Amino acid sequence: MISVSDLSLSFSERPLFKDVNLKFIKGNCYGIIGANGAGKSTFLKVLSGEEEHDTGDIFITPGERMAVLSQDHFKFDSYSVKETVKMGFPKLYQLEKDIDAIYAKEDFSDEDGMKAAEMQGEFGEIGGYEAENQIEQMLSGLGLEEEFHDKMMSELDESQKVRVLLAQAIFGNPDILILDEPTNGLDLESIAWLEDFLIEFPNIVIVVSHDRHFLNAVCTYTCDIDYGKITQFTGNYDFWYQMSQIMQRQAKDQQKKREDKIADLKQFIQRFSSNVSKAGQASSRKKMLEKLELEDIPVTSRKFPYVNFKPDRAIGNFVLDVKNLCKKDSDGTVLLDNFNITIRPGEKVAFVGIEQNAKAAFFDIISEEIKADSGEYVWGQTTSHNYIGRDNNKFFNNDLNITDWLKQFSKEQDDAYVRGFLGRMLFTGDDSLKPVKVLSGGEKVRCMLSKMMLSGANVLILDDPTNHLDLESIESLNQGLVNFPGVVLFNSHDHEFIQSIANRIIEITPKGIIDRMMPFDDYLKDNQIKEMRKEYYAGTDKKIRF
């Protein structure tokens, strides 16, 4: 158990949160939510002891082991993948090192043998002899193929390292598991595996995530950081959202009733204060008015950008025809092989599956970022398309401020117009003069969304657009794409995002495509599709789970 009592923390004299009182109990998963800058990651660091707090106490049941998802992706570069995972259970890791050190002694004695035997008994009791197999299963479950299990961490790319560090955190059944954005860099299949793992996990999980489906799947409690407080709600993200809307409406209704009451009292006092027969009543109402003070409804720290895509012209009957498209990457790996699809008006197509590079290549080709090796694609004459890729850094390698940067893509060149538009995207005041080269990942995505909104395109192409965005921005983008009257082609690792937007699912596999007009949840449940997926991935080194 973790008990938090009267916890407070301030940054630069600004209270981040104060007088926090919470309990985290075994068998539950707690989702920590809040706007960017509200203090979610900081709160996790305070709980883990990585950062100090100003006042209050944190009590952890003595003897309980805490595991934290490491955010330093280079910390273990000098270790192998399996050794890195094993280090997540320090007692087991150290025992194994000590046993190996004893057996490596040149002057090995009977006493050493007895000590080693005792240590091996303890090693077995904590699961040391099953560790190798468990580690391999976890790594495979998280989408790291067997060929990488014995490599050095320095040989892995960023997304592979994230998977190893996640395996490290969950290895050995810790009593308390603290995860900050554990789904970042994971594909949908790995996220599904992690959801299943955490649902069955018997101890305490405390997690920060911007993935709504993930929070709904695993969380039994939601801790909302807002108004400088941390409030705990029973239930998952959707339950919290519904409760927060009800509470906000109730607070506004109460405020309205109070305002109406004050108005009535003032009217009575004004009308009858000079009337001798009513003087006593007027005096009584004056006292009531003095006691009846308006309470300010706290201003939420959440800010929702305004995302609204308006095409300049309606789309015609012919949108996009792709015939026999082929593409290999730089090392000769086949990404697209005689790829054929036709896109029709009204379609919002989610490209799913584990072939991430294939999806990115297709988007890059039809957006004229790269050329296909062979094949062709034809856009309809009435179409205009705009693209947000996964890596947009090339747009920001300049010395422009945000206002001048956006002017490049705006027909309207008036500063007031552009700044007003940026304000709707949460770039207010001096933020609009910030150099684009120093923007965070989330700010860059919001700039790219601004560019897309100004384009007036009737076909939107987005490759993993929710990366780097907070929950509020994701919800705004989500609704903007639901309301968009044109065509959307997109890829995402956000289950809820796909389910709520897409009416067509296309999966690129090593042996062809699976193409269905249906919602994503129906796609996942369809037994015929499951059999097709098994067939299409059979004999390849790609492992699938749903």
Side-chain angles (χ1 to χ4, degrees):
M1 185 188 77
I2 303 179
S3 178
V4 178
S5 303
D6 300 323
L7 185 75
S8 297
L9 179 65
S10 298
F11 279 150
S12 302
E13 298 183 358
R14 180 181 73 87
L16 200 57
F17 36 78
K18 60 181 180 178
D19 302 327
V20 175
N21 291 278
L22 298 170
K23 282 187 179 179
F24 301 98
I25 299 169
K26 182 177 179 179
N28 289 300
C29 178
Y30 300 82
I32 311 296
I33 63 170
N36 275 0
K40 300 183 296 294
S41 295
T42 302
F43 182 62
L44 294 191
K45 289 177 181 176
V46 169
L47 288 181
S48 67
E50 187 179 338
E51 284 197 14
E52 295 291 329
H53 51 282
D54 298 335
T55 60
D57 297 296
I58 298 172
F59 172 81
I60 299 175
T61 304
E64 291 194 341
R65 181 169 72 88
M66 178 183 288
V68 180
L69 175 60
S70 176
Q71 301 297 311
D72 185 349
H73 298 169
F74 304 98
K75 184 177 179 180
F76 302 95
D77 275 1
S78 58
Y79 299 94
S80 71
V81 167
K82 285 182 182 176
E83 188 176 12
T84 299
V85 176
K86 209 171 285 184
M87 291 166 75
F89 193 168
K91 184 177 181 179
L92 183 146
Y93 178 71
Q94 191 57 51
L95 264 175
E96 186 176 56
K97 300 291 273 185
D98 292 343
I99 291 168
D100 290 343
I102 289 175
Y103 282 118
K105 290 174 68 173
E106 293 182 5
D107 56 345
F108 186 83
S109 65
D110 291 342
E111 186 180 343
D112 289 328
M114 290 175 65
K115 186 176 181 181
E118 185 181 328
M119 292 170 71
Q120 283 175 318
E122 186 179 2
F123 186 70
E125 286 176 7
I126 61 174
Y129 296 113
E130 296 85 40
E132 194 87 1
N133 184 49
Q134 288 176 355
I135 289 170
E136 289 175 355
Q137 287 181 356
M138 280 193 300
L139 291 171
S140 296
L142 288 167
L144 195 68
E145 292 87 355
E146 204 171 311
E147 63 187 276
F148 295 100
H149 292 184
D150 293 307
K151 287 182 179 283
M152 298 297 291
M153 287 289 284
S154 57
E155 299 178 71
L156 306 188
D157 65 28
E158 196 81 356
S159 68
Q160 291 167 336
K161 286 182 178 181
V162 169
R163 295 162 197 262
V164 177
L165 294 174
L166 187 50
Q168 180 193 69
I170 64 181
F171 173 59
N173 198 37
D175 300 291
I176 301 162
L177 181 56
I178 292 184
L179 304 173
D180 192 354
E181 295 292 358
T183 62
N184 276 3
L186 299 185
D187 57 34
L188 281 165
E189 299 226 343
S190 300
I191 293 171
W193 182 91
L194 180 60
E195 285 175 0
D196 290 341
F197 177 90
L198 293 179
I199 288 168
E200 297 297 324
F201 188 73
N203 299 324
I204 297 172
V205 181
I206 304 173
V207 60
V208 167
S209 177
H210 291 150
D211 186 324
R212 294 163 295 172
H213 184 272
F214 178 77
L215 290 173
N216 282 327
V218 304
C219 291
T220 54
Y221 288 86
T222 300
C223 299
D224 178 32
I225 304 181
D226 203 1
Y227 313 123
K229 301 176 182 178
I230 305 182
T231 308
Q232 192 175 99
F233 295 83
T234 302
N236 61 15
Y237 176 79
D238 277 353
F239 184 81
W240 163 81
Y241 184 77
Q242 292 164 9
M243 284 297 298
S244 67
Q245 297 299 104
I246 291 170
M247 290 168 64
Q248 192 73 5
R249 282 197 299 271
Q250 287 176 340
K252 288 180 179 177
D253 289 346
Q254 195 66 28
Q255 185 85 324
K256 179 69 168 57
K257 288 177 182 177
R258 198 180 293 265
E259 288 173 352
D260 291 344
K261 182 69 174 175
I262 288 173
D264 289 343
L265 290 171
K266 284 182 176 178
Q267 187 178 18
F268 186 93
I269 294 165
Q270 186 176 9
R271 184 177 177 186
F272 296 110
S273 58
S274 58
N275 188 318
V276 176
S277 64
K278 299 280 188 180
Q281 293 179 42
S283 177
S284 175
R285 282 166 171 73
K286 278 183 182 180
K287 291 177 182 178
M288 287 174 61
L289 182 61
E290 289 169 2
K291 293 177 181 178
L292 195 62
E293 296 178 358
L294 281 177
E295 294 178 2
D296 290 332
I297 298 174
V299 178
T300 178
S301 57
R302 288 181 170 80
K303 294 181 180 179
F304 290 80
Y306 176 73
V307 179
N308 186 31
F309 303 102
K310 287 186 178 180
D312 288 340
R313 64 182 296 183
I315 206 161
N317 291 328
F318 177 65
V319 179
L320 175 66
D321 198 19
V322 178
K323 293 182 178 177
N324 301 319
L325 213 61
C326 295
K327 182 65 180 178
K328 294 180 180 177
D329 67 12
S330 56
D331 66 3
T333 302
V334 175
L335 300 175
L336 300 170
D337 185 18
N338 289 318
F339 184 71
N340 295 275
I341 60 167
T342 298
I343 304 296
R344 294 170 288 272
E347 292 187 339
K348 295 182 179 180
V349 188
F351 290 78
V352 303
I354 60 178
E355 300 291 337
Q356 306 301 331
N357 292 335
K359 290 180 279 187
F362 172 65
F363 289 156
D364 283 344
I365 290 168
I366 62 172
S367 302
E368 295 151 17
E369 297 284 321
I370 61 174
K371 290 186 177 180
D373 297 333
S374 61
E376 63 178 3
Y377 62 93
V378 180
W379 285 104
Q381 288 188 346
T382 61
T383 62
S384 57
H385 57 272
N386 198 266
Y387 177 42
I388 297 180
R390 192 170 302 177
D391 182 2
N392 299 291
N393 285 323
K394 66 181 180 181
F395 287 95
F396 301 95
N397 292 329
N398 55 66
D399 295 319
L400 297 175
N401 62 42
I402 299 177
T403 301
D404 291 338
W405 182 88
L406 192 59
K407 271 187 179 181
Q408 300 174 101
F409 312 106
S410 174
K411 295 174 187 175
E412 176 60 68
Q413 291 292 297
D414 181 62
D415 272 10
Y417 171 82
V418 175
R419 287 188 183 181
F421 192 89
L422 286 170
R424 295 196 294 272
M425 293 302 290
L426 309 185
F427 295 107
T428 57
D430 291 341
D431 285 344
S432 62
L433 301 176
K434 190 188 294 186
V436 295
K437 64 170 61 174
V438 303
L439 297 181
S440 68
E443 289 172 325
K444 287 178 181 177
V445 175
R446 280 191 276 124
C447 281
M448 294 300 293
L449 289 173
S450 300
K451 172 180 174 291
M452 179 172 272
M453 283 189 281
L454 286 170
S455 72
N458 52 26
V459 180
L460 307 181
I461 307 167
L462 307 102
D463 189 1
D464 222 353
T466 60
N467 264 2
H468 306 296
L469 293 181
D470 59 19
L471 273 168
E472 291 70 42
S473 298
I474 291 171
E475 287 179 357
S476 297
L477 173 59
N478 197 152
Q479 195 57 48
L481 292 176
V482 168
N483 295 337
F484 178 62
V487 168
V488 183
L489 310 177
F490 72 102
N491 163 44
S492 178
H493 293 147
D494 187 316
H495 185 122
E496 183 68 23
F497 196 76
I498 299 173
Q499 170 62 18
S500 57
I501 296 169
N503 55 23
R504 180 179 176 186
I505 307 296
I506 294 178
E507 180 170 1
I508 303 173
T509 81
K511 297 180 184 177
I513 68 168
I514 304 172
D515 186 354
R516 293 288 186 275
M517 290 292 298
M518 59 172 59
F520 186 49
D521 281 346
D522 292 349
Y523 184 87
L524 296 179
K525 295 171 185 174
D526 192 293
N527 289 327
Q528 185 183 15
I529 292 172
K530 289 179 181 179
E531 291 303 314
M532 287 182 69
R533 298 185 85 238
K534 288 179 184 177
E535 179 186 340
Y536 282 16
Y537 286 97
T540 73
D541 60 353
K542 308 289 185 182
K543 291 183 171 58
I544 57 171
R545 283 169 293 282
F546 64 70

